[in-house]
Amino acid sequence: MPIHVYVLLGACLLAALVFCIYYAVPLFSVARWRKHCNEEASPLDPEVNAAKASVIVYSRDELTGLERLVPALLNQNYEGEYEVIVVNEGESAQIRDYIDSLQLAHRNLYLTHTPDGARSLSRKKLALTLGVKAARGEVVVLTTALSIIESDRWLAEMMRPFNTDAAIEVVTGVAVPSEGEDNARGRRRRSFDFCADCVTWLTAALRHHPYRGVEHNLAYRRELFFNNKGFSRSLNIQHGDDDIFINEIARADNTAVQLSDDSLVRFDGDIFNITYPEEAVRRAFTGKYIRHGARRRMVTGSWLLWLWIAAAAAALVFDHSNWLTAGTVAVTGIAMLLMLVAGWHSAMKALNGRRLFCTLPWLLITRPLRKCYYRMRSHGGRHFTYS
């Protein structure tokens, strides 16, 4: 056997080994952590003094969403005191009338809004800043009017890390699209890319390298917000409230991940085929302001798969008649495929994603190309990013 074939087979073995250990094995950590969070989910010890929470709901004149979300928030089974603050972009008579009708029975419900003439800054960050300033709770829990909260223990689970560990200052939860609502072409690709995005930041956070969260399900201590001077470092950027800002305040010793069933939030997925590409472009832009080290694992996995394919193909071309060459390629390929499918099946099940099998390798191989496409769009379209 020629020496260059030995080199290629060595590259196949090395790529397969690193792929399985460095990339595939961490995929199982998401499901393990969700199981752990579910085991920890129980009523708070009566001797523990539950912190007061302020739930801030960001709205953009989304009355229908508020009609679904606010009653669910007002009926939370939380051991401590809490308030609900709805912050709308601009004044809305319909939303004001709706909130007024609920305030008669719920004294812990409040409404505020951003000035209609606010310009040259992120209106969402202005809205959230107003909400945090109006909050009287020790912890602010952020969500949006597009969110769907199905459990009356959602707030209790998001507050659990704060109430059980005084060192925790940031809690990141998960939000997933509503089940079965995205049936447009490319739904498997979008489901995989969305879950891959979640797995990237979740596995980083579980390895004590937190760098982002999701706008629908996020909490941090109010004092931490003011100590960081709010969003002052990125006010000129329209987005970044759940990634650039979290990257500024989250550390290994002050951040917890909450993945219990009760903490899960859903959001409207009926136009996910439109909203996901826009979000991907937004994340590509804000990602330039976030440390890259925590995100390299997922990217490395795709390139390792490319390396294995190139080395395996070259080895077969140079020495296709040798059973050792064919056997090495077959064994390493099957091992990688089994680890890939098992790991992603575990992660996507934990994140309520679609079940994928045959399309998984192709989606993983082509993911770097899609990421490059979104990055190019983020460079050329400032209307996606700047106010």
Side-chain angles (χ1 to χ4, degrees), residues 16 27 33 60 123 160-161 178 228 264 290 297 299 311 315 329:
L27 294 174
W33 189 252
R60 299 176 62 186
R123 302 190 68 180
R160 179 179 301 281
S178 300
N228 193 66
L264 186 71
I290 298 173
R297 188 176 297 261
V299 176
V329 170

Side-chain angles (χ1 to χ4, degrees), residues 4-144:
H4 59 272
V5 176
Y6 280 113
V7 173
L8 291 170
L9 292 181
C12 281
L13 288 169
L14 182 61
L17 182 63
V18 176
F19 179 87
C20 291
I21 296 176
Y22 182 75
Y23 175 81
V25 170
L27 294 174
F28 295 95
S29 64
V30 178
R32 285 198 302 269
W33 189 252
R34 182 162 185 178
K35 181 180 179 181
H36 168 76
C37 290
N38 282 329
E39 292 172 348
E40 293 290 319
S42 60
L44 197 65
D45 190 326
E47 296 183 1
V48 176
N49 186 21
K52 182 173 182 179
S54 297
V55 181
I56 300 176
V57 181
Y58 170 69
S59 170
R60 299 176 62 186
D61 289 337
E62 290 141 339
L63 178 61
T64 302
L66 291 174
E67 289 174 339
R68 175 186 57 207
L69 175 66
V70 174
L73 293 176
L74 294 173
N75 289 289
Q76 287 294 299
N77 181 18
Y78 176 53
E79 293 84 356
E81 294 183 47
Y82 75 95
E83 61 185 357
V84 178
I85 303 172
V86 178
V87 187
N88 191 61
E89 270 199 25
E91 189 170 6
S92 168
Q94 289 181 312
I95 291 178
R96 184 179 65 249
D97 292 343
Y98 173 66
I99 298 300
D100 285 346
S101 68
L102 295 177
Q103 285 176 327
L104 298 174
H106 300 279
R107 303 296 297 273
N108 62 334
L109 175 62
Y110 305 94
L111 172 68
T112 187
H113 61 85
T114 61
D116 289 322
R119 296 291 185 272
S120 302
L121 76 167
S122 169
R123 302 190 68 180
K124 181 179 181 182
K125 290 175 183 174
L126 174 61
L128 294 179
T129 300
L130 291 175
V132 174
K133 286 185 175 181
R136 289 174 290 182
E138 180 184 343
V139 176
V140 292
V141 187
L142 308 181
T143 188
T144 73

Side-chain angles (χ1 to χ4, degrees), residues 23 27 189-203 211-212 276 298 344 347-348 351 363-364 367 370-371:
Y23 175 81
L27 294 174
R189 182 189 69 247
R190 285 187 295 276
S191 179
F192 173 78
D193 284 347
F194 175 81
C195 286
D197 292 340
C198 291
V199 167
T200 300
W201 66 264
L202 280 172
T203 53
Y211 67 90
R212 60 157 281 197
Y276 176 75
M298 291 294 117
W344 275 110
M348 296 190 76
L351 295 173
L363 291 172
L364 179 60
R367 179 165 164 76
R370 294 192 295 278
K371 297 289 284 184

Side-chain angles (χ1 to χ4, degrees), residues 163-230:
N163 291 325
T164 57
D165 188 349
I168 296 300
E169 297 180 297
V170 181
V171 172
T172 58
V174 170
V176 298
S178 300
E179 290 184 289
E181 292 194 6
D182 182 11
N183 295 310
R185 183 179 179 183
R187 56 189 176 275
R188 290 180 178 83
R189 182 189 69 247
R190 285 187 295 276
S191 179
F192 173 78
D193 284 347
F194 175 81
C195 286
D197 292 340
C198 291
V199 167
T200 300
W201 66 264
L202 280 172
T203 53
L206 293 176
R207 296 193 320 273
H208 308 294
H209 299 291
Y211 67 90
R212 60 157 281 197
V214 288
E215 61 179 340
H216 306 285
N217 202 8
L218 183 63
Y220 42 80
R221 295 192 185 273
R222 184 171 180 267
E223 182 182 8
L224 182 63
F225 178 87
F226 291 115
N227 288 343
N228 193 66
K229 297 182 180 179

Side-chain angles (χ1 to χ4, degrees), residues 190-327:
R190 285 187 295 276
S191 179
F192 173 78
D193 284 347
F194 175 81
C195 286
D197 292 340
C198 291
V199 167
T200 300
W201 66 264
L202 280 172
T203 53
L206 293 176
R207 296 193 320 273
H208 308 294
H209 299 291
Y211 67 90
R212 60 157 281 197
V214 288
E215 61 179 340
H216 306 285
N217 202 8
L218 183 63
Y220 42 80
R221 295 192 185 273
R222 184 171 180 267
E223 182 182 8
L224 182 63
F225 178 87
F226 291 115
N227 288 343
N228 193 66
K229 297 182 180 179
F231 305 113
S232 60
R233 303 180 196 175
S234 60
L235 269 180
N236 62 319
I237 301 175
Q238 184 174 348
H239 303 287
D241 53 281
D242 61 355
D243 47 23
I244 297 177
F245 177 70
I246 297 303
N247 185 63
E248 293 172 357
I249 64 173
R251 302 187 309 272
D253 59 347
N254 79 337
T255 304
V257 178
Q258 179 56 270
L259 282 181
S260 67
D261 293 345
D262 287 330
S263 70
L264 186 71
V265 170
R266 300 185 186 277
F267 56 88
D268 283 333
D270 54 345
I271 56 171
F272 191 59
N273 60 313
I274 299 173
T275 58
Y276 176 75
E278 293 177 351
E279 181 182 354
V281 173
R282 169 169 69 89
R283 297 288 183 190
F285 179 82
T286 56
K288 293 183 290 186
Y289 299 88
I290 298 173
R291 54 184 178 268
H292 299 295
R295 295 175 284 168
R296 287 177 182 154
R297 188 176 297 261
M298 291 294 117
V299 176
T300 302
S302 296
W303 290 119
L304 284 170
L305 196 53
W306 274 104
L307 174 62
W308 179 88
I309 291 172
L316 290 174
V317 168
F318 287 123
D319 197 21
H320 62 276
S321 59
N322 191 317
W323 65 268
L324 179 60
T325 301

